[in-house]
Amino acid sequence: MDMNRADRKERPEFQGLKHRPAKPSDRSPERSMEWLVSGLNLLEQGITIFDADLRLIHANRTFLRLYDLPDEYSAPGTTFEAINRFLAEKGDFGPGDVDGLVRERVERAEAFEDHYLERVRPNGMVIAVEGHALADGGWVAVYTDITSKKNSEALLRERADRLSHSLLERSEQLEATNRELNAANRALEEVSSRLAESESRMRTITHSVPAHIAYIDRDLVYLFSNNKLADMLGFDDLHFQGRRVSELFDPEDLEVLMPAINGALDGRPCSVDFHPRDANGEHRHLRSSLVPERDANGKVTGAHILSIDVTEEKRAMDLIVHSKRMEAAIALTSGVVHDFSNIMTIILGNLNRLSDPALAGGERERILQATRRAVERGGRVTDQLMSFSRNEDLVPTLCNLNRITEDLVRLFAASLDPSTTITVTDREGALGVCMDERAYQDALLNLLLNARDAIGHAGSISVEIARTETGDGPAVTVAVRDDGCGFPDGTIDRACEAFFSTKQGGRGRGLGLSMVRRFLRRSGGGLEIESAPGEGAAITMTLPLAGDVAMEIAAPRDTKRIGARPGGLAVVLDDEAEIRELVRGYLLKADFQVIEASTGGEALELLANLPKVALLVSDIMMPGSTTGIDVAREARALRPDLPCLLISGLATTHPALGEAEREFHLLKKPFGETDFIAALDALFAEALPASAVGA
């Protein structure tokens, strides 16, 4: 984006670009202008330059394309009036007298005043027109297709009741400062004409282009640059022309840029995103396209570079994706309420039955097992819901795809109308897939929500899990089928485009399927859509199987070293008295003596004064700033050989949970006596030497 020079920071040293005096270029001005015209002629923004008599000096190809003008209207000398008369006769200016419409625009142009306006063409395209008067008469105008930007703004305003106030403020900032977000990113294809203008006019034109245009030779020296990259980062008195790439960028940026630069110099068009620091020390998100230039013999002589600042666009998209995930979580609320109502009914009913003194031992054990399963089910439901509220990068792990799919479908089923049925067909057993579990849940839920909307008030949905073979090896498919309205003719090819939706009444956001396809591509899979109008739809996700690891998911716990518990004194740390009492009972049965602590400081005092402590059991989250992880680390510092078992009810996506698992043994709540004793066995089996452990 452009900045006033008064607002930029002048600094001798900065982190994003290396600040050294520019070397004078040994290339001619004519060659520099040729490179500039090559770049202008291939931008996705239109450019026109008129002289003081309103006769055309230069118009690039994009200008002709945006207004559907014949090629002859780009000829130098074409009058401003002739171009506008052609557009008026086509109906671009709406109804009215053609002479009057043309005269109005000619008179406005003859004023030679800077201006900005947005014009809606009859085909629905919205074009932003920004004109700048030139010092020696005439003006240069930039024409930008902002149709997609306007659609994005409409989407943001439509969702204003769900997004935070900060998103709305960001949208206003985007409208005011980032008119250049749709700057060019298309490949440079040809060098065709020369622009014979003065150096001052060339500077005015280049500063009107909202993108960094540059050319480097095979020695990685900038032979041309409009210096827009320095403007984007807020630096003044920084010049690229005549300097090497290695002089201008930090090593961390060069590590990202050099593979793309080398690829372009090898003859391949390349694209790269990198994150230099601006004058305030903050990272910006820049996107660069590099296209090789070849001589008459086909040899690569250099590379054209086009860079744009997409920082605000990326931030806005992140907010939209996060809000989409929150919508999915809200859609599951009724399922969570239904599940927890059932769980609490089971627990309450079983507690009442256990109070019967005449209850037989076998029946009592059966009731206890049913209650324990209900509690474990509640823990899974809570963990599933929590995972939808987070927006993180993909973290692939080995997952049981069958279990994840069936759990989510069961949770989703409770939110359906009673007249809608949903089934799962799974004849494959446990299938191991290396993927991000939360992202897969998001993708499957998007397909289920689409199927529900397509059905309306009554119908059926089926989810089918199956093995398959692809060109890359064995894979698994998850197909979501419905008997709803299907996709209208001609829409399947566009179904995965961002912001494209077939839903009526503004219900669709056009982000669901594009997010699903993006997740599958990043996971090495793919998406397939089958549909016909009025005959329902089948959307199939394909993910690669993780070799033979499916058996590992259901493998039994290794118990060969169980029985190594030495007993002794155990310290139990938890701020909940009921949890301490429960753990105390388990430890007493395991031949430990127990001392309880309710704060981290109390636990550390016990450990410092009781040298015979054989075990620390601590909850992770505690009141105040000290966590159970902090206590366990302090305990290890006092007693390096002390076994430590951490317990937690945090969601699997909470960062503290991963931190604890990397350093200590972890047991997740809810757990029963069997789970707790198994965790102790695993802890002591690892802590003791093999010779001290029973076979």
Side-chain angles (χ1 to χ4, degrees):
M1 66 182 69
D2 288 331
M3 295 179 166
N4 293 328
R5 290 186 178 269
D7 295 334
R8 300 186 186 128
K9 297 184 180 179
E10 297 186 17
R11 290 161 43 185
E13 299 291 340
F14 51 88
Q15 295 174 326
L17 298 172
K18 298 180 182 176
H19 190 281
R20 298 191 182 94
K23 299 177 184 177
S25 173
D26 58 356
R27 306 292 177 154
S28 67
E30 290 79 4
R31 181 58 171 159
S32 295
M33 288 189 294
E34 178 181 352
W35 289 322
L36 171 64
V37 172
S38 299
L40 294 177
N41 213 24
L42 295 162
L43 287 173
E44 285 187 354
Q45 290 183 297
I47 300 289
T48 59
I49 307 168
F50 287 88
D51 62 16
D53 296 325
L54 294 185
R55 292 185 176 276
L56 186 66
I57 295 174
H58 180 75
N60 70 351
R61 296 181 184 277
T62 305
F63 171 72
L64 300 180
R65 177 175 57 81
L66 289 177
Y67 283 100
D68 299 322
L69 289 168
D71 290 344
E72 57 262 26
Y73 283 93
S74 66
T78 303
T79 65
F80 181 83
E81 178 181 359
I83 295 174
N84 279 269
R85 182 171 297 279
F86 179 82
L87 294 175
E89 291 173 349
K90 281 204 313 176
D92 263 55
F93 302 149
D97 176 60
V98 171
D99 290 336
L101 293 172
V102 174
R103 183 168 56 255
E104 175 187 352
R105 284 156 177 78
V106 171
E107 290 175 354
R108 188 187 308 160
E110 288 174 341
F112 296 106
E113 296 178 351
D114 290 353
H115 61 276
Y116 174 82
L117 58 90
E118 295 178 1
R119 172 170 295 152
V120 181
R121 296 202 60 217
N123 61 5
M125 179 186 294
V126 183
I127 299 177
V129 182
E130 186 171 2
H132 296 275
L134 300 174
D136 55 350
W139 43 262
V140 58
V142 180
Y143 307 82
T144 306
D145 181 358
I146 61 172
T147 308
S148 176
K149 173 178 176 293
K150 288 296 182 182
N151 291 339
S152 299
E153 290 177 353
L155 172 63
L156 289 172
R157 295 187 181 280
E158 177 186 349
R159 298 167 62 118
D161 57 334
R162 296 178 182 170
L163 297 179
S164 65
H165 184 64
S166 62
L167 177 58
L168 293 178
E169 291 178 346
R170 181 62 63 190
S171 176
E172 296 299 328
Q173 292 174 11
L174 287 172
E175 180 181 6
T177 63
N178 283 344
R179 296 191 181 105
E180 65 264 31
L181 283 180
N182 287 302
N185 193 24
R186 54 191 313 184
L188 302 173
E189 296 174 350
E190 66 177 68
V191 177
S192 61
S193 62
R194 299 185 178 186
L195 181 63
E197 292 293 334
S198 68
E199 186 177 352
S200 62
R201 173 168 291 173
M202 185 177 70
R203 285 198 301 268
T204 302
I205 294 171
T206 56
H207 281 298
S208 299
V209 178
H212 178 229
I213 303 173
Y215 177 84
I216 60 173
D217 63 13
R218 295 197 62 86
D219 295 326
L220 305 183
V221 175
Y222 280 93
L223 302 185
F224 172 78
S225 170
N226 67 350
N227 223 40
K228 198 68 174 182
L229 186 57
D231 292 344
M232 292 176 182
L233 299 176
F235 293 111
D236 199 7
D237 193 24
L238 176 68
H239 301 285
F240 285 68
Q241 195 158 322
R243 303 178 67 180
R244 296 180 64 85
V245 172
S246 58
E247 296 179 55
L248 294 161
F249 297 97
D250 279 346
E252 60 182 19
D253 294 325
L254 289 173
E255 185 177 352
V256 178
L257 288 171
M258 287 310 300
I261 293 175
N262 291 333
L265 295 178
D266 287 340
R268 303 188 308 273
C270 295
S271 180
V272 63
D273 288 7
F274 67 109
H275 314 280
R277 292 185 183 273
D278 62 15
N280 296 318
E282 298 180 356
H283 284 290
R284 305 295 295 176
H285 192 97
L286 303 184
R287 182 169 299 152
S288 296
S289 294
L290 300 93
V291 176
E293 182 185 52
R294 301 177 185 273
D295 60 17
N297 298 321
K299 181 182 178 181
V300 176
T301 58
H304 298 275
I305 304 175
L306 193 65
S307 302
I308 58 175
D309 184 349
V310 295
T311 305
E312 303 304 329
E313 179 185 22
K314 185 177 185 300
R315 289 173 182 169
M317 181 57 68
D318 287 345
L319 287 170
I320 292 173
V321 171
H322 181 67
S323 66
K324 183 72 177 179
R325 177 167 291 176
M326 291 304 298
E327 281 187 19
I330 292 170
L332 290 180
T333 300
S334 59
V336 173
V337 172
H338 174 272
D339 268 17
F340 268 103
S341 296
N342 289 342
I343 291 167
M344 296 307 295
T345 300
I346 293 170
I347 294 174
L348 183 60
N350 286 345
L351 287 175
N352 289 334
R353 294 175 65 192
L354 287 171
S355 64
D356 183 359
L359 193 65
E363 181 65 12
R364 183 181 301 274
E365 181 61 27
R366 190 185 67 79
I367 293 173
L368 287 172
Q369 290 292 340
T371 305
R372 186 176 295 109
R373 287 194 298 271
V375 173
E376 292 171 351
R377 178 181 171 191
R380 288 196 302 271
V381 171
T382 303
D383 201 47
Q384 287 170 358
L385 184 62
M386 286 294 292
S387 69
F388 284 111
S389 65
R390 304 184 65 83
N391 183 24
E392 301 174 341
D393 291 335
L394 294 185
V395 182
T397 58
L398 181 60
C399 300
N400 184 336
L401 180 134
N402 312 67
R403 177 187 59 77
I404 297 170
T405 302
E406 291 166 7
D407 284 351
L408 183 61
V409 171
R410 175 185 52 75
L411 193 62
F412 177 76
S415 67
L416 294 175
D417 190 279
S419 58
T420 299
T421 62
I422 185 168
T423 59
V424 177
T425 302
D426 178 10
R427 302 185 181 90
E428 302 296 341
L431 295 174
V433 176
C434 190
M435 64 181 182
D436 187 299
E437 180 175 341
R438 296 183 304 280
Y440 172 74
Q441 289 173 327
D442 287 344
L444 178 57
L445 185 61
N446 265 305
L447 301 188
L448 293 173
L449 289 171
N450 285 347
R452 183 194 65 182
D453 293 343
I455 288 172
H457 296 294
S460 63
I461 303 172
S462 66
V463 180
E464 302 171 5
I465 303 173
R467 290 176 182 264
T468 188
E469 288 290 335
T470 69
D472 297 322
V476 57
T477 60
V478 180
V480 178
R481 302 179 185 274
D482 66 75
D483 56 3
C485 60
F487 284 78
D489 285 333
T491 61
I492 289 182
D493 292 340
R494 301 188 59 197
C496 292
E497 292 181 10
F499 305 111
F500 177 80
S501 175
T502 61
K503 297 179 182 179
Q504 302 299 316
R507 292 186 301 138
R509 302 293 183 266
L511 288 171
L513 286 179
S514 66
M515 291 170 59
V516 173
R517 183 177 65 174
R518 182 169 181 267
F519 155 69
L520 292 171
R521 285 180 173 177
R522 294 176 67 188
S523 303
L527 183 72
E528 183 179 349
I529 303 175
E530 299 177 19
S531 178
E535 298 181 9
I539 302 181
T540 302
M541 298 185 291
T542 303
L543 287 163
L545 277 172
D548 298 327
V549 297
M551 297 303 297
E552 297 179 13
I553 298 174
R557 186 193 305 271
D558 182 5
T559 59
K560 66 180 181 179
R561 302 183 70 181
I562 288 178
R565 299 189 302 273
L569 184 61
V571 174
V572 176
L573 170 60
D574 200 299
D575 59 315
E576 293 283 348
E578 291 82 2
I579 298 295
R580 294 199 304 271
E581 181 179 355
L582 183 68
V583 174
R584 178 189 184 92
Y586 294 160
L587 287 170
L588 290 174
K589 289 185 179 180
D591 299 325
F592 283 90
Q593 294 82 45
V594 179
I595 298 180
E596 299 179 18
S598 59
T599 67
E602 184 179 346
L604 290 173
E605 186 176 353
L606 290 171
L607 291 167
N609 293 295
L610 297 174
K612 293 187 177 181
V613 173
L615 172 67
L616 170 66
V617 180
S618 174
D619 192 9
I620 290 181
M621 300 308 294
M622 303 292 295
S625 58
T626 302
T627 68
I629 300 175
D630 299 328
V631 173
R633 286 170 178 163
E634 289 287 339
R636 284 276 179 87
L638 291 171
R639 299 270 305 280
D641 59 342
L642 179 66
C644 299
L645 176 64
L646 297 182
I647 59 177
S648 176
L650 296 172
T652 55
T653 55
H654 196 288
L657 211 61
E659 185 180 356
E661 284 183 306
R662 285 191 293 270
E663 299 184 45
F664 304 98
H665 275 254
L666 178 68
L667 177 60
K668 286 207 61 184
K669 300 175 183 177
F671 55 81
E673 181 178 354
T674 302
D675 296 325
F676 184 82
I677 296 302
L680 283 184
D681 288 336
L683 173 64
F684 282 100
E686 180 177 302
L688 295 178
S691 60
V693 179

